[in-house]
Amino acid sequence: MSNHLTGTWALLKLALRRDRIMLPAWLAVLVAMAAGSAAATIPLYPTLAERIKASETINTTPPVVALNGLIYDESSIGAIAMVKLSGIGAILVAILAIILVVRHTRSEEDTGRLELVGSTVIGRHAALTAALIIGFGTNVVLGILTTLGLIAAGLPVAGSVAFGLGWMSVGFAFAAIAAAAAQVAGNGRAANSLAITLLGVTYVARAIGDTAGPRWLSWLSPVGWQQQLRPFAGERWSALLVSLAFTAVAVAGTYALAARRDLGAGLLPDRPGRARGAAFLGSPLGLVWRLQRAGLAAWAIGFLLLGLVLGNIASKVGNLLDNPDLQDIILRLGGEKGITDAFLAAEFGLASIIVSVYGVQSIMRLRSEEANTRAEPLLATGISRLGWAGSQVAMALFGTTILMFATGLGAGLAHGLALGDVGGELGRVLGAALAQLPAIWVLVGAVVALYGLVPRQVVLGWVVLLAFFLLGEMGPVLKLNQWVMDISPYAHSPKLPGPTLDYGPIFALVAVAAVLTAVGLVSFRRRDIVA
Amino acid sequence: MTTPVSISSLVKTFGSTRALDGLHLEVAEGEVHGFLGPNGAGKTTTLRVLLGLLRADSGTVRLLGGDPWHDAVALHRRLAYVPGDVTLWPNLSGGEVIDMLGRMRGGMNPKRRAELIERFNLDPTKKGRSYSKGNRQKVALVAGLASDVELLLLDEPTSGLDPLMEAVFRDTLLEERQKGRTILLSSHILSEVEALCHRVTIIRSGRTVETGTLTELRHLRRTSIDATLATPPQGLDGLPGVHDLSVDGTRVRVQVDNAHLDEVLRALTTVGVRSLVSQPPSLEELFLRHYGTEPTVDERGQTETEALPR
Ligand SMILES: Nc1ncnc2c1ncn2[C@@H]1O[C@H](COP(=O)(O)OP(=O)(O)O)[C@@H](O)[C@H]1O
Ligand SMILES: [Mg+2]
């Protein structure tokens, strides 16, 4: 075993060097978010009565509970302040862990860099071990800094420690999941997708468990385990053991998988392919379709299921509302139907962020194809640059449309069936889902522009997406100016389904998307193709 | 009749790196042209400029009578390019890639495709991720060679091929040469260039240092002589064109500029030659003299002429 680990230290240093900017930046954003919300929330609810009222409002609003989770002690300011961070915040922690671990295992194999170092003095488990050390180490640091940040913001020590440990445990679990996915999947992108799908599925299970029930569904999710630690609400430390035990088992399983496969290969053996290319595989659009149709189909199935779940919860939202404090809000929103619509609108808003992830990574393929020199032989044939890049842009627009369509279809069907009015609800709900597309396309356009103008910095697309997302999620908590929050295209998406539809913002978003895309494509035509 | 490739004073910089620094390159129609230089000399960069993937900073570049930057798409239908480092799509089979590249180029010869796959012993049903480096190279070679195009641009095409496949490649290229196909072959494998090329351009640090036929280049080079004479020789070191002379009794080892071979041989025969081994200059030696760490001619105070434009 020990010689399988030879070189771990060298790889670790190399990886830390490569991540010397990304890692501190992620950590800073997460810790600042946690401490910032704590500091901003504490002065909002000085009296016990105010806290209880705020908690009850949150706990009895299923969309909010589905999105983030429950407040387990309605009198605790810490529980109120951190509920969002134990939901959406924990997702970001999980995504960081996944990206980190896959980046230093499977993605490295894809580039052949590991083969290069692997042939010298690097043991077969060194890369995996180095990646896990980075994944776990980062989350230990995150846990400590977050704890300190919360204490500094004025929250109780025990709860702060529990919260820090909770985030750490989510990071641990998903670092281990990502490591296992990296062994099973055929390449880095597939490993990322697999781990993130697992994150999404378990999160939805938790959302159902916390709202419609049954409650045990919440225990299927590492994010759920973290919430069951109940920071600031009579900490239940034993929940930590579930996470740690899971992590240990997953890591052991990963090493067993790793011992069983070859570098560069997935676990599933390759079936032979076709000896001849299909007729459509003679154009860049054909190639894009051939390479990405399977991935899109998998995403679409996922979003269809998500839509079904959301539509199903939506139809129960009305019944669950028995809080007298909410009565006038409900009335203002247009009665029970209004609250259902508001729920669907909020969930479609969230779905549009995830669909944007698809759009952003779809455009980023242009850069990876260019950087790993797969674009070069294509662009040396009779294919124009515009034809090549335009095909991927077309695929991104088409794919995002399909995904929002799948979400809307699922939600409309489930909701319509529950109300016994599929004909009346389906079109309305589907339209509401599709109305989120223009904001998504602005993100797509922004990444095309980055790709054309600063190809080597195209990863900034993730920063843009994260920033827009955080503006929407944290802006109100942090009491940002409205104009700052309005920078995000998602702020201008129509809140549908709902009573009114204003076409102005839709056209504006489409126009911005078109301009960004055009800028990107024109710049791409004029610049060098660079590895 | 236009010159297929004509480059003069080409400059291309990447930030502070001057990758190409006034490069000249002419490839005549029907010629196999060797493009030689050590790693980092600028061969790939030159080919990328020729393909319109990179934009020249200055200088003129003509490809098949057109401008490679502006007329890229039209020109690309008339040529095939085989990159030096082939990356394939993990889940496309080799056969799919070959057909795709052929179609994008505007068609390929199906008979030739089948024949090349056979000769290169390539399994076209394997997926990109399971090919070795050599096999990936073969996929690109088959795709390039099976196309009926006017010009082949090959960038170190045999890197990763085993010796057997290298021989297949040479045979195939010799056939193309017979057919009169114009080929620009970038390489650092000198024996390959010696075996295949009509003319050679040698570059270093983005500049052309030599160009000409192999005979022309050899003419300017030295022959190494190892001779045993009847009696110890006198006054050899006074002769023009003599380098690295070592005399050990009656045994003489010496490098002679080919232009001065006559004088040296005459001097040897007057003493009486018992045995003599002479070696033609290999391209390796040419290469080493230009790119190795040997002191340059000027420093030695010799009058040797450098070949062609500096
Ligand atoms: N995209 C690039 N950015 C920066 N430097 C580059 C780039 N491409 C090539 N170079 C540099 O230009 C020089 C020539 O490289 P290249 O043309 O690849 O040489 P060769 O193919 O002869 O080995 C090298 O010094 C290389 O580092
Ligand atoms: Mg090269």
Side-chain angles (χ1 to χ4, degrees):
Chain A
M1 184 76 198
S2 76
N3 59 340
H4 286 334
L5 295 180
T6 315
T8 303
W9 179 240
L11 286 178
L12 196 60
K13 281 196 297 189
L14 185 71
L16 284 175
R17 219 189 106 65
R18 283 182 62 205
D19 285 346
R20 66 191 182 282
I21 307 218
M22 177 183 118
L23 264 188
W26 262 101
L27 287 174
V29 167
L30 287 169
V31 173
M33 252 172 59
S37 335
T41 312
I42 293 170
L44 289 183
Y45 309 108
T47 68
L48 189 61
E50 283 167 308
R51 287 177 202 168
I52 290 180
K53 191 168 163 217
S55 305
E56 280 183 346
T57 310
I58 291 176
N59 278 348
T60 52
T61 313
V64 176
V65 174
L67 196 55
N68 289 310
L70 286 159
I71 294 170
Y72 288 101
D73 177 352
E74 300 195 332
S75 65
S76 160
I77 186 68
I80 300 172
M82 304 318 285
V83 65
K84 193 161 226 168
L85 290 141
S86 74
I88 295 289
I91 289 191
L92 295 180
V93 173
I95 290 177
L96 168 63
I98 292 169
I99 289 177
L100 255 186
V101 169
V102 171
R103 177 176 158 79
H104 293 300
T105 51
R106 197 68 233 196
S107 301
E108 280 291 270
E109 280 181 44
D110 296 346
T111 60
R113 267 196 290 263
L114 272 187
E115 205 174 327
L116 213 62
V117 287
S119 57
T120 53
V121 287
I122 306 290
R124 65 175 298 146
H125 292 325
L128 174 61
T129 308
L132 282 174
I133 291 176
I134 291 183
F136 291 150
T138 301
N139 282 293
V140 169
V141 174
L142 174 69
I144 294 172
L145 292 181
T146 305
T147 302
L148 296 177
L150 294 185
I151 295 172
L155 288 179
V157 173
S160 301
V161 171
F163 188 86
L165 284 174
W167 263 13
M168 183 193 83
S169 71
V170 170
F172 275 21
F174 280 98
I177 287 174
Q183 310 309 313
V184 177
N187 59 58
R189 204 190 328 268
N192 272 326
S193 301
L194 190 60
I196 288 178
T197 305
L198 215 62
L199 169 63
V201 169
T202 55
Y203 198 79
V204 168
R206 184 213 53 79
I208 300 172
D210 282 356
T211 51
R215 296 307 302 264
W216 58 264
L217 280 176
S218 304
W219 284 89
L220 293 182
S221 153
V223 175
W225 303 332
Q226 168 232 206
Q227 293 177 337
Q228 294 310 321
L229 251 169
R230 305 203 170 171
F232 311 104
E235 289 76 14
R236 298 207 304 201
W237 302 100
S238 53
L240 194 59
L241 294 178
V242 181
S243 255
L244 295 181
F246 170 84
T247 304
V249 171
V251 167
T254 300
Y255 278 98
L257 291 176
R260 228 163 274 211
R261 72 179 188 100
D262 295 328
L263 197 65
L267 267 181
L268 314 166
D270 265 330
R271 279 171 298 139
R274 310 163 53 113
R276 304 298 309 245
F280 69 87
L281 196 59
S283 70
L285 204 55
L287 175 63
V288 162
W289 179 243
R290 167 75 177 77
L291 292 176
Q292 297 169 39
R293 60 186 177 191
L296 178 59
W299 277 78
I301 291 170
F303 275 85
L304 186 68
L305 293 177
L306 179 71
L308 287 169
V309 169
L310 293 179
N312 200 25
I313 299 180
S315 56
K316 298 199 175 81
V317 168
N319 318 339
L320 293 166
L321 284 171
D322 47 8
N323 185 324
D325 287 333
L326 285 174
Q327 291 302 334
D328 69 281
I329 304 179
I330 295 171
L331 286 178
R332 250 188 291 138
L333 285 170
E336 203 171 279
K337 186 167 179 66
I339 205 84
T340 310
D341 283 356
F343 171 77
L344 278 176
E347 301 302 328
F348 284 158
L350 190 68
S352 76
I353 303 271
I354 315 176
V355 172
S356 302
V357 169
Y358 174 87
V360 168
Q361 62 122 48
S362 174
I363 297 301
M364 284 184 180
R365 277 171 175 260
L366 284 174
R367 178 57 196 154
S368 55
E369 290 290 286
E370 178 183 358
N372 63 26
T373 71
R374 284 201 280 256
E376 192 177 289
L378 296 181
L379 293 173
T381 66
I383 300 303
S384 70
R385 289 198 188 191
L386 217 51
W388 177 75
S391 300
Q392 186 62 55
V393 174
M395 185 65 185
L397 298 180
F398 175 72
T400 50
T401 307
I402 290 290
L403 296 185
M404 282 317 295
F405 183 87
T407 314
L409 183 67
L413 279 178
H415 187 51
L417 284 174
L419 295 186
D421 181 19
V422 175
E425 291 297 315
L426 184 58
R428 212 171 63 87
V429 173
L430 197 55
L434 294 177
Q436 310 296 317
L437 281 169
I440 298 170
W441 292 343
V442 169
L443 258 291
V444 169
V447 183
V448 178
L450 282 172
Y451 174 65
L453 293 167
V454 283
R456 290 199 171 100
Q457 269 71 51
V458 75
V459 286
L460 287 178
W462 293 124
V463 178
V464 174
L465 176 60
L466 185 68
F468 288 161
F469 170 65
L470 290 180
L471 276 180
E473 285 300 312
M474 304 307 294
V477 178
L478 300 176
K479 299 253 174 304
L480 295 181
N481 266 328
Q482 187 59 42
W483 71 263
V484 178
M485 293 192 273
D486 279 348
I487 296 173
S488 164
Y490 303 111
H492 306 282
S493 271
K495 303 285 174 284
L496 286 178
T500 54
L501 172 54
D502 182 1
Y503 284 99
I506 294 191
F507 289 128
L509 288 172
V510 170
V512 171
V515 169
L516 287 169
T517 305
V519 166
L521 290 178
V522 169
S523 319
F524 170 63
R525 243 172 55 149
R526 293 190 181 162
R527 69 166 171 80
D528 285 349
I529 302 293
V530 285
Chain B
M1 203 167 68
T2 56
T3 315
V5 174
S6 163
I7 298 178
S8 63
S9 311
L10 175 60
V11 174
K12 177 70 197 175
T13 56
F14 298 104
S16 58
T17 315
R18 251 176 125 72
L20 300 180
D21 191 11
L23 186 116
H24 294 263
L25 174 66
E26 294 265 323
V27 180
E29 184 148 351
E31 154 179 291
V32 180
H33 195 104
F35 191 38
L36 276 173
N39 289 326
K43 303 181 295 293
T44 301
T45 305
T46 306
L47 290 174
R48 285 183 175 150
V49 170
L50 269 178
L51 287 163
L53 299 170
L54 299 176
R55 191 173 208 159
D57 292 351
S58 65
T60 50
V61 184
R62 303 291 292 171
L63 175 71
L64 298 169
D67 177 331
W69 180 262
H70 288 108
D71 313 329
V73 172
L75 293 175
H76 290 170
R77 293 185 204 281
R78 297 163 58 192
L79 60 81
Y81 166 61
V82 177
D85 203 354
V86 181
T87 324
L88 298 178
W89 294 267
N91 35 16
L92 287 195
S93 71
E96 283 182 294
V97 172
I98 291 169
D99 285 343
M100 176 177 75
L101 289 174
R103 288 201 189 102
M104 288 178 170
R105 203 174 276 137
M108 65 167 53
N109 180 342
K111 238 187 78 199
R112 184 91 174 122
R113 177 194 188 274
E115 183 193 323
L116 285 165
I117 285 182
E118 172 88 34
R119 280 170 74 173
F120 278 110
N121 195 17
L122 177 74
D123 177 357
T125 64
K126 268 200 177 181
K127 298 281 180 73
R129 61 172 151 266
S130 38
Y131 280 125
S132 66
K133 169 151 174 48
N135 278 317
R136 293 200 298 268
Q137 202 69 38
K138 288 189 211 167
V139 169
L141 275 171
V142 172
L145 293 170
S147 301
D148 285 320
V149 289
E150 295 164 47
L151 173 67
L152 280 174
L153 299 175
L154 311 177
D155 190 7
E156 305 195 8
T158 53
S159 52
L161 292 190
D162 60 40
L164 210 67
M165 285 303 140
E166 237 178 274
V168 173
F169 169 75
R170 279 185 200 192
D171 291 347
T172 316
L173 223 63
L174 282 174
E175 286 168 22
E176 297 295 325
R177 184 181 146 135
Q178 303 278 275
K179 290 185 208 158
R181 178 109 66 197
T182 312
I183 301 172
L184 176 58
L185 171 68
S186 130
S187 179
H188 61 247
I189 303 172
L190 309 169
S191 54
E192 181 174 288
V193 169
E194 277 187 305
L196 296 172
C197 298
H198 298 102
R199 289 202 314 139
V200 180
T201 293
I202 302 182
I203 68 165
R204 175 195 198 177
S205 309
R207 283 183 216 198
T208 306
V209 287
E210 304 256 352
T211 188
T213 63
L214 286 172
T215 339
E216 275 166 4
L217 297 187
R218 280 202 188 99
H219 177 70
L220 293 160
R221 300 289 126 214
R222 298 169 186 168
T223 298
S224 65
I225 291 175
D226 187 342
T228 309
L229 305 176
T231 56
Q234 300 291 321
L236 274 183
D237 49 357
L239 291 175
V242 165
H243 308 276
D244 301 337
L245 175 67
S246 83
V247 180
D248 177 13
T250 56
R251 178 147 184 220
V252 173
R253 269 169 296 184
V254 65
Q255 305 258 332
V256 185
D257 290 343
N258 287 7
H260 298 285
L261 266 180
D262 282 352
E263 290 98 310
V264 175
L265 286 179
R266 221 171 283 130
L268 294 180
T269 45
T270 42
V271 182
V273 177
R274 292 288 165 268
S275 79
L276 184 142
V277 179
S278 82
Q279 303 219 311
S282 75
L283 222 35
E284 264 84 1
E285 281 166 324
L286 299 191
F287 210 51
L288 270 179
R289 297 222 15 245
H290 276 292
Y291 312 122
T293 47
E294 279 185 40
T296 61
V297 224
D298 296 342
E299 283 161 28
R300 284 201 226 159
Q302 298 291 335
T303 52
E304 187 188 50
T305 37
E306 274 297 323
L308 292 175
R310 268 267 172 190

